[in-house]
Amino acid sequence: MLYDDRYSANGGDIQWCFSQVKGTVEEDVTEADIISCVEFNHDGELLATGDKGGRVVIFQRDELVSTSEGWSAADYLGKANQTHRGEYNVYSTFQSHEPEFDYLKSLEIEEKINKIRWLRRANPANFLLSTNDKTIKLWKISERDKRPEGFNTKDETGMLRDPTSVKALRVPILKPMELMVEASPRRVFANAHTYHINSISVNSDQETYMSADDLRINLWHLEITDQSFNIVDIKPANMEELNEVITAAEFHPSMCNVFVYSSSKGSIRLCDMRSRALCDQHTKLFEEPEDPTNRSFFSEIISSISDVKFSHSGRYLISRDYLSVKVWDLNMDSKPIETYPVHEFLRSKLCSLYENDCIFDKFECAWSGDDRHIMTGSYNNFFRMFDRESKRDVTLEASRENMKPRTVLKPRKVCSGGKRKKDEISVDSLDFSKKILHAGWHPSENVIAVAATNNLYIFQSKD
């Protein structure tokens, strides 16, 4: 199957350019440096990544240049727009989670960051939730550029003075200092999940959030750490009867009572917390009947949904299974309104993908800010873009080969059989150790962040 390269040739489509790459070039990548999640904040000025070593790195975008001397109005607008698409530079790095050991279950708990979710900004500080397999933490990221000086009872080193030596009253003053960014843990939400946490999602009310593991979903209040409310429980009385697990969950972007969760059987359930306290009975079930002609030993594995996301408008859902991305209309649960094959050429390779465990890879997907485009990852450091209006798609590569800024990414093609053309790649020569599992799209601009092993690539549109 060959992909259409007119996507980047036509004027109405996005041309993607290289912008930046973050991370080391060394071939020997340590496990701890592998990026495990990518998340833009609500205005796109901050970008957070988590890795397998339990670290969170936050990048901040360069600010707009305010000077406009000697420019025409058109020049100024063009320059301001160009400068606003500034580089993302490291803003703060901190250790979010440490490895732990559960002595009651003789179980090691990895420090790997599974998910990061930003809270909407309500004051000068920023807040984010990060989670590993068992514990969720709320972090406050704040700036300090002034320090108090001139205390009465402390000297310049901070040591307490002898009170009898204080002869006059001094008024402390604030003096400028070099900007310091502090990350401090404000809340720790622990001991609520028996199984590994796969999702967290902040509610649109900005007061509550939910966390999901294989069998349960819990609802938390951001101010209360010692209790949560169980809103979904699919654990059967007899575990031998277990036939599906929860794979992802997300709140609706504007309706605080509505959420969805996906399962390993390829279904998505929409629940309404107004109808009942325990949402085991769904309001809607989004499920596509299986095509009998494609039935195989691997059918159940490849139908498992690895990610589900509401569109920004709240009208649609995208779900990612192993071979495709599907778009669902919340008003029609009988079948998806759009289906995009991501790497259909791998259908003939499922046996070897099963043997090397790649068939269990969990790919994420992302909406563009206007809900017109969809992005998801593939192998060989390829990622796929789909235009919902023109129905065109393109395969692009996150590579260090074209690292000049503003270099337009060349569409890549995979040949699955027959005679291979010069610029095509044979499906047999794909590198399955290089995979794009995690990616994020700026909430309002055509800027994307793609995690390729230990490197973070940032691309932006040419215009």
Side-chain angles (χ1 to χ4, degrees):
M1 183 176 182
L2 301 181
Y3 294 119
D4 194 343
D5 64 348
R6 291 173 299 163
Y7 186 98
S8 59
N10 282 359
D13 296 322
I14 301 173
Q15 279 190 301
W16 289 99
C17 299
F18 174 83
S19 178
Q20 292 173 265
V21 61
K22 302 286 186 182
T24 54
V25 189
E26 288 86 19
E27 290 297 317
D28 299 329
V29 179
T30 61
E31 185 81 4
D33 291 334
I34 295 174
I35 297 171
S36 55
C37 56
V38 177
E39 189 76 10
F40 282 97
N41 75 338
H42 293 88
D43 61 9
E45 294 305 301
L46 296 175
L47 170 62
T49 64
D51 63 26
K52 288 192 173 183
R55 293 181 299 268
V56 172
V57 181
I58 300 172
F59 300 93
Q60 184 183 44
R61 201 184 213 182
D62 289 344
E63 292 181 8
L64 257 163
V65 172
S66 58
T67 177
S68 60
E69 291 177 12
W71 293 346
S72 68
D75 286 340
Y76 177 72
L77 287 171
K79 182 71 174 176
N81 189 40
Q82 183 183 338
T83 315
H84 187 61
R85 294 163 169 263
E87 289 196 342
Y88 284 88
N89 293 309
V90 175
Y91 178 64
S92 176
T93 304
F94 58 92
Q95 188 73 29
S96 176
H97 287 71
E98 302 279 357
E100 298 173 51
F101 190 80
D102 187 332
Y103 292 97
L104 293 175
K105 296 180 180 174
S106 295
L107 189 70
E108 280 187 43
I109 301 168
E110 289 184 347
E111 64 272 40
K112 175 193 164 195
I113 309 293
N114 292 343
K115 283 285 186 291
I116 290 172
R117 290 290 180 265
W118 291 91
L119 275 66
R120 287 193 179 275
R121 195 165 179 172
N123 58 43
N126 288 283
F127 290 85
L128 63 80
L129 288 167
S130 64
T131 184
N132 65 351
D133 286 340
K134 298 291 180 187
T135 305
I136 305 151
K137 294 182 180 180
L138 174 67
W139 290 89
K140 177 184 180 182
I141 296 95
S142 53
E143 295 182 352
R144 261 186 31 203
D145 60 359
K146 293 182 176 66
R147 67 168 179 266
E149 284 187 8
F151 291 104
N152 291 284
T153 56
K154 290 180 184 174
D155 60 22
E156 273 61 42
T157 62
M159 298 292 290
L160 283 172
R161 282 200 185 115
D162 179 5
T164 58
S165 67
V166 179
K167 303 299 182 188
L169 183 65
R170 299 165 72 191
V171 179
I173 57 170
L174 290 172
K175 285 198 172 179
M177 60 176 273
E178 190 178 337
L179 178 68
M180 198 166 82
V181 181
E182 294 178 314
S184 51
R186 306 297 294 190
R187 308 269 189 281
V188 178
F189 307 88
N191 307 318
H193 285 277
T194 309
Y195 306 96
H196 293 174
I197 298 169
N198 56 48
S199 300
I200 50 175
S201 179
V202 180
N203 202 344
S204 57
D205 63 13
Q206 295 294 301
E207 290 184 1
T208 56
Y209 76 93
M210 67 178 173
S211 56
D213 65 22
D214 292 344
L215 300 179
R216 293 190 179 98
I217 300 176
N218 293 332
L219 181 69
W220 300 83
H221 194 285
L222 283 160
E223 299 294 326
I224 301 168
T225 60
D226 58 355
Q227 62 182 35
S228 61
F229 188 77
N230 183 226
I231 52 174
V232 172
D233 187 349
I234 65 167
K235 184 179 180 182
N238 180 3
M239 282 295 277
E240 289 180 5
E241 296 170 6
L242 181 69
N243 59 7
E244 68 178 329
V245 294
I246 297 166
T247 55
E250 187 174 73
F251 269 119
H252 189 279
S254 57
M255 293 189 283
C256 61
N257 50 284
V258 174
F259 68 93
V260 294
Y261 68 92
S262 58
S263 85
S264 57
K265 292 190 84 174
S267 60
I268 304 167
R269 292 172 174 84
L270 183 137
C271 302
D272 190 334
M273 292 190 290
R274 294 173 301 184
S275 60
R276 54 181 63 83
L278 188 63
C279 299
D280 288 352
Q281 300 299 315
H282 51 266
T283 305
K284 282 190 176 182
L285 176 67
F286 300 89
E287 195 171 38
E288 185 175 32
E290 188 189 355
D291 182 356
T293 58
N294 283 335
R295 179 76 191 160
S296 72
F297 169 77
F298 306 106
S299 294
E300 197 164 311
I301 301 172
I302 63 173
S303 67
S304 176
I305 294 173
S306 55
D307 195 19
V308 62
K309 291 244 170 58
F310 276 104
S311 63
H312 294 84
S313 67
R315 170 74 186 270
Y316 303 103
L317 282 166
I318 46 172
S319 64
R320 171 71 206 263
D321 56 42
Y322 190 66
L323 294 178
S324 66
V325 173
K326 293 171 182 171
V327 180
W328 304 82
D329 188 328
L330 259 61
N331 298 331
M332 188 178 84
D333 53 7
S334 56
K335 62 179 181 179
I337 57 170
E338 297 156 31
T339 300
Y340 300 102
V342 177
H343 37 218
E344 187 64 28
F345 48 79
L346 294 182
R347 195 176 284 277
S348 61
K349 304 283 181 187
L350 293 178
C351 193
S352 56
L353 290 164
Y354 179 78
E355 287 170 2
N356 64 14
D357 282 348
C358 282
I359 201 168
F360 301 106
D361 285 334
K362 292 175 170 52
F363 292 95
E364 295 175 5
C365 48
W367 289 96
S368 64
D370 59 3
D371 294 339
R372 174 176 169 173
H373 298 90
I374 296 164
M375 168 179 63
T376 192
S378 182
Y379 294 103
N380 210 70
N381 276 0
F382 289 168
F383 58 98
R384 304 273 283 125
M385 315 288 284
F386 304 97
D387 186 326
R388 298 180 59 215
E389 286 186 22
S390 68
K391 302 300 178 191
R392 294 203 185 100
D393 55 63
V394 69
T395 303
L396 301 171
E397 184 181 7
S399 164
R400 285 183 175 266
E401 286 177 19
N402 298 318
M403 279 179 49
K404 288 181 182 175
R406 313 295 290 168
T407 302
V408 176
L409 298 187
K410 186 183 175 186
R412 307 305 303 265
K413 293 181 187 175
V414 177
C415 174
S416 56
K419 195 171 182 182
R420 184 166 64 88
K421 292 179 184 175
K422 182 185 172 186
D423 58 345
E424 292 174 354
I425 297 162
S426 167
V427 67
D428 296 315
S429 60
L430 294 176
D431 187 345
F432 292 102
S433 66
K434 294 179 178 178
K435 54 192 88 169
I436 305 290
L437 300 177
H438 315 285
W441 198 308
H442 189 288
S444 58
E445 296 176 31
N446 287 328
V447 177
I448 56 174
V450 173
T453 319
N454 66 320
N455 289 315
L456 181 72
Y457 289 85
I458 298 171
F459 303 104
Q460 63 184 41
S461 61
K462 187 179 181 183
D463 54 333

